[in-house]
Amino acid sequence: MKLTSKLLTAAALLTASASAMAHPGHTEGGFTSGLLHPMLGLDHLLAMAAIGFWSVRQNKLMKNATPAFVIGGMIGGAALAWGGLSVPGVETGITFSVLVAGILIATLAKLPTAVGGTLVGAFMLFHGFAHGAEMPEGATLAAYLAGFSIATLAITLVGRGLGGLMLKADSRFSRGVGGVLAVAGAYLAAA
């Protein structure tokens, strides 16, 4: 199977798994619950894939560091939740991340690493806080953290793979993907 087919199949499976948008009610063990959580929320799935997609057009440092910014923000946000701290506007931050990532893709925006990394880390802080706050009772912290970290990286890398395929295509395709993501973010924000 060609790389293109594999990436499109993976994207389709991830999208299909996002049919349940509500996050509460995970009853699986810590690792499984953590692994599924990022895939069961359309907002999380779109944001992580979009950041991966966008990162392909960035400078080499930003492109290579994006997975670290994503995981760092996720773990930082989860740590805030587990520490009992409050982060205002979590759902707004999550949907805003989808909207802004879509705009960045649609405009083919290239950001300096300091700006892009801060933006990605801040977006993922909201996502990580939501993941941490929704850890099922009885789940072990380490197992849940490992699960959602692996899923987050996988979704981001699938997005990056799709973005890489789009580099070979006309930029209008990338702009179209970004436009769709921006509209999805606006819809999620309004819902």
Side-chain angles (χ1 to χ4, degrees):
M1 185 183 270
K2 289 187 172 186
L3 177 62
T4 304
S5 298
K6 288 179 183 178
L7 287 171
L8 292 175
T9 300
L13 289 172
L14 288 173
T15 302
S17 73
S19 60
M21 283 187 58
H23 303 302
H26 301 298
T27 57
E28 300 83 13
F31 180 78
T32 303
S33 185
L35 193 64
L36 292 176
H37 192 268
M39 293 186 225
L40 294 178
L42 185 59
D43 47 4
H44 297 303
L45 186 66
L46 290 176
M48 293 167 203
I51 288 169
F53 192 102
W54 169 77
S55 73
V56 171
R57 292 187 182 270
Q58 301 311 297
N59 67 55
K60 187 175 181 178
L61 178 58
M62 181 64 210
K63 179 180 175 181
N64 292 336
T66 295
F69 291 134
V70 168
I71 290 298
M74 290 287 289
I75 292 172
L80 292 174
W82 294 329
L85 298 172
S86 178
V87 174
V90 170
E91 289 302 318
T92 302
I94 289 170
T95 56
F96 189 65
S97 69
V98 177
L99 173 67
V100 172
I103 291 169
L104 291 172
I105 293 168
T107 60
L108 305 178
K110 293 186 179 190
L111 299 177
T113 302
V115 174
T118 301
L119 190 62
V120 169
F123 285 163
M124 291 299 102
L125 186 98
F126 289 112
H127 290 270
F129 186 88
H131 291 332
E134 295 167 359
M135 184 173 86
E137 194 172 316
T140 61
L141 189 135
Y144 185 72
L145 176 66
F148 83 66
S149 295
I150 290 168
T152 296
L153 279 175
I155 295 165
T156 303
L157 294 175
V158 166
R160 180 179 281 190
L162 292 171
L165 290 174
M166 292 295 178
L167 279 176
K168 299 173 186 172
D170 188 317
S171 66
R172 289 180 290 184
F173 291 116
S174 288
R175 290 179 186 275
V177 167
V180 168
L181 286 167
V183 169
Y187 172 77
L188 290 169

